[in-house]
Amino acid sequence: MKKRELKLMSAEETEMVGETNKEQVLTEGQVLKFDQYVVLNVETGVFSIKDDAKRELSSTEFNLLHDKINNANLLTEEMISTENMDVTIDSQGVTITEKSANEPQHLKRTKYIEGKNAVKVYWWGLRVWVKKATVHKIGNGAAIGGIWIPGSLIGKVVSTLGVVLSACPGGIVFNSTPSPVPASLVWGSEYQ
């Protein structure tokens, strides 16, 4: 399995997006700066801000971080309550994965081609996995981990990978900022 690298937006990209998006979009520098102040409780899946942040960040920066943390916690709480999902919490985020039905062994072996439906919530945004079957029958959209992913968004992601929905060779994965809703800003798309 190849290592995935999260690429954040440059300041220029953020300025362009910021003109069309009313929610504050974080720059790569802001994510890197704020990340040291964010803690995820691996027992509860709740993000919090370290006390140092109030002293070391400007009030504007602290308020922005506070808003992002609140959004991530609300989204995580909503997603965890979704039925038929497996929840995994690690030091970086909360992953909500669609539970696999009892499948025959030969289908389990081909899962690497199919991919998975899952969403990982970070304090700064989302990482979304969409399995091959979901991509092929996306229609108006799909609920993945309790989040509605519009079909048009999946179509855009697949087209940036150079294929059409019906010919997508496997599942896809992409990042989305800002959270809580994957809307206009998608980056880091690739096949699963």
Side-chain angles (χ1 to χ4, degrees), residues 89-110:
I89 304 170
D90 62 30
S91 62
Q92 295 181 331
V94 179
T95 304
I96 314 299
T97 307
E98 194 176 78
K99 283 186 180 176
S100 299
N102 290 332
E103 301 169 326
Q105 190 62 35
H106 72 280
L107 289 177
K108 288 182 180 178
R109 279 180 276 177
T110 62

Side-chain angles (χ1 to χ4, degrees), residues 2-3 21-22 29 31-32 47 49 66-67 74 76 86-87 90-92 94 111 119 127 144 164 168 171 185:
K2 70 178 186 175
K3 184 179 178 188
N21 192 339
K22 295 201 186 303
V31 171
L32 294 173
F47 292 97
I49 303 172
H66 187 266
D67 288 345
L74 288 171
T76 301
D86 287 324
V87 178
D90 62 30
S91 62
Q92 295 181 331
V94 179
K111 239 183 183 18
V119 176
R127 180 123 175 112
I144 299 175
V164 295
C168 184
L185 185 56

Side-chain angles (χ1 to χ4, degrees), residues 69-132:
I69 296 296
N70 282 342
N71 286 341
N73 285 334
L74 288 171
L75 181 61
T76 301
E77 182 180 329
E78 182 179 313
M79 290 172 59
I80 288 174
S81 67
T82 304
E83 292 183 24
N84 297 322
M85 295 290 163
D86 287 324
V87 178
T88 307
I89 304 170
D90 62 30
S91 62
Q92 295 181 331
V94 179
T95 304
I96 314 299
T97 307
E98 194 176 78
K99 283 186 180 176
S100 299
N102 290 332
E103 301 169 326
Q105 190 62 35
H106 72 280
L107 289 177
K108 288 182 180 178
R109 279 180 276 177
T110 62
K111 239 183 183 18
Y112 75 95
I113 296 170
E114 181 66 22
K116 65 180 178 180
N117 282 343
V119 176
K120 184 165 188 172
V121 180
Y122 297 90
W123 70 266
W124 49 260
L126 305 170
R127 180 123 175 112
V128 180
W129 290 264
V130 184
K131 68 183 179 181
K132 179 180 179 179

Side-chain angles (χ1 to χ4, degrees), residues 117 130 133-144 147-155 165:
N117 282 343
V130 184
T134 304
V135 169
H136 286 194
K137 62 179 182 182
I138 196 71
N140 289 331
I144 299 175
I147 303 226
W148 182 253
I149 311 294
S152 60
L153 179 75
I154 299 298
L165 288 173

